[in-house]
Amino acid sequence: MPSSLAKPNRPVFTDLDGLAAMAGEGDAFGVGGHHFARLPLALLRAIARRGTLDLHYVSWAGGLPLELLLEAGAVAEIDICFSSLDIFGLPPRFRRAAETGAVPVRDWTALAMIQALRAAQQNLPSLPFQLPEGSDMAARIPGARLAVDPITGDPVGAAPALRLDTVVLHAQRADASGNVQILGPRALDLAMVGAARRVLVTVEEIVPVGVLAAAGRQSVLTRNQVSAIACVPGGAWPASCLPFYVTDYAALAAAFAAPDTRLEAAFAPPETGVPQHLRQAAGVTAATVAALAAPAVHPEGGSPSVDEIMAVSLAGLLGDDSVASAGAVSPLANVAYRLAKATHAPDMIIATMSCGHLDIAPSPMLLSLIETLDGETAAAHAGGDDTYSTYYQAGAVTHEIVAAAQVDRLGRANTLELVKPGGGTVRLPGQGGMADVANMHRDYILYVPRHSPLSLVERVTVASSARGLLTPAERWPHGYRTGHAAVLTDLCVFRLDPATCELIVLSTMPGVTRERIVEATGFPVAFDPHCSIVPPPKPEALDMLRRRIDPLGLRRLEFVSARERGALIAEILAADRQAVDECIARQRMRAPDGARDRQDGSPP
C-alpha cells in the first residue's frame, strides 16, 4: 500500500498511552529527532512498556532510541546509517545485537536512504542517487541497484522506495487543530513523515490556532500530515527540546555508567518534571556567554598537547572560502572549525548538527549549551534531506573532517566493523553519510587520534568511505571541485598522492621520528621528498583554543581509551555544570525584570 495515502484533516488528540497503542507489531518504524535533540523518548518508553514486538527500525541514526527498543526486545530488523551515543561511545545493545547476529542490521548511505524515503513520499518505485565511488557501500544498501541514466548513459544508483508504517517524533508545539511546529534542525523528519502511513507526535504544549504563525524560524507539519498527538511536557528528556530545556548530560552519564542499567527505568521522568537548571540553561544567550571574561574552566598551561597540535593543524587547513560541516561525533573537527573562524578565517561557513544549523558563530563548546548557541547564531535551520541536495550533492561543502577507526594505504576509511585477531567482529558506529560526501566535498580530510598498526593498515576490513574520485579529470565531470586529500594522526600528516593513489607522509608531529612512524604503521611508509615538521601552535591560537573555543577540553575525548573515558566525562560534566550555572546567573542579571520570570526556559 502506498505510504502517502492522505490522512484525515484533523489528527486525533490523545494521551501518551493512547498514542503508544497506535504503533503496531511488525511495523516499519521510523524515529524522528537527531543525536540528543527532540527524541520522542517518553513515547518510546510507553511503546516498550506495552510489549510491542517485531518492529523494523528505520532511521538515519540508532543511538538512544534504538537502545531503548532493543532493551525491550521490540526490534526484529534494523536499517540505519549510523548508531552512536555521542560522547558516551558505542551503544552496547546495538553492538551486541550486531556482533552476535541476533538482529539483522542493514547499513545505508545517507543519500540512498533520503532518496528511498523521497521515492515513497512521491509514490515512485525508486529514485536515483550518486554512487559512493571507492567505498564498499553500494553493494550493502538494501535493495539498491546499479542503473544507467537514461539521458547520459552514466552509471547511477537506484534506491527502492522505503515505505514506513509508523513514524514517531517529538516537537515543540501543536495548535488546537493539529498543526505541529518543529523548531531547529529537522534531521530527516520531513522525509520520514512523507514516507509514513501513520505519524504519531508528542509535543511540549498545545496552543490556540493562530499562535504558530507568530513564530520565527520553524517548520510546520500541517494537520493532514499527522495522525495523532499527545501533549507530553518533557517528552524528549533527557534529550533536549529547545527552547524548553537542554540535554541532561548528567542523567545520560548516570544511565550509561553501568552496562546493565535499565534505560526504561533510568529515563522515567522526574516527578517534579524536567530539572529547573535545564530549563534555565535553555534561556542562556550567545551574548551572555560572550560577556564572560574567560570561561576557561579547564585551562591548560605549558607546552601544547597532541590534541591541541592536531586541532590547530586542522584549523590551518581552513580558510575564508571554506564551508565546513561538523559530523555526528567529531569534537576535534568541530573545535578546529570554530578555531579557524575565530582567528584567521572569519568568512568561512560552519554547519553543525549534521548541517541542521547553517552558518553558526564560533561560540565556545560548552557541552550543555552547544545546541542552544548554535541554534541562536545560525543564519538558517535545515533538515538533512534538503541540505544534501543544496550543499553536499551540489559540491558546495569544502570540508567534513571526520575520525576513522581504520585507514589503509589507499586512504580508505573503515567505521563499520573490525575483525578481532581471534575471530569475530567489533561493530563500529557506521559511516553516516561519509561514503557519499567523501567524493562530494572539495577536500577529503580524515584524522586518527591514536596512530598504530591496528589503525593504519594495509587494507581496511571494509571500506565504509573513500576518495574514489581523486583527480580533476575524474571529479570535474561529476561537478566536484578538487582539493586536498589527507590523513592527520597524532604522529604525522599523510597526503593521498594522486599519482600512486597511496598515502605518503607529508609532515611529522613535533618530536616524532620517522622510525616511530614506520613502526606504528601497518603498511610500508613512504615520505614526501620535502617532508617537514608540523609547526607548533602560535601562542594566540593556543590561547583562543584553550580559553574561548574549547574551555572544557571536549577534544580530549577522542584521545583516551574507553576505560579512561568515564573519568574524563565526569570531569567535563562537573566543569560544564559550573560554567552553565555561571551563565544562568549572568543571564538573570542581564535580563530585564519582565524577562527574568522567563528564565525557566519557557518561550516568551
Side-chain angles (χ1 to χ4, degrees), residues 5 10 43 89 100 116 118 170 181 231 239-240 251 259 266 299-300 375 404 409 414 421 475 486 507 527 545 593:
L5 290 178
R10 187 175 292 272
L43 179 52
T100 62
R118 284 173 167 168
H170 186 76
Q181 175 195 65
C231 184
S240 68
E300 298 178 13
R409 68 187 301 172
N414 173 20
R475 298 180 59 73
S507 55
F527 291 85
L545 171 64
D593 290 342

Side-chain angles (χ1 to χ4, degrees), residues 35 185 322-328 330 333-334 337-338 341 348-362 370 374 378-383 387 391-392 396-401 441:
H35 295 315
S322 297
V323 178
S325 176
S330 300
N334 203 336
Y337 297 161
R338 294 166 192 264
K341 187 171 179 66
M348 72 174 287
I349 292 175
I350 304 174
T352 59
M353 196 71 87
S354 294
C355 231
H357 291 139
L358 299 170
D359 198 10
I360 65 159
I370 293 173
D374 288 357
H381 297 161
T387 53
Y391 295 97
Y392 294 145
V397 180
T398 62
H399 297 80
E400 186 161 358
I401 303 172
H441 295 345

Side-chain angles (χ1 to χ4, degrees), residues 128 147-158:
V148 175
D149 182 82
I151 304 298
T152 66
D154 294 333
V156 295

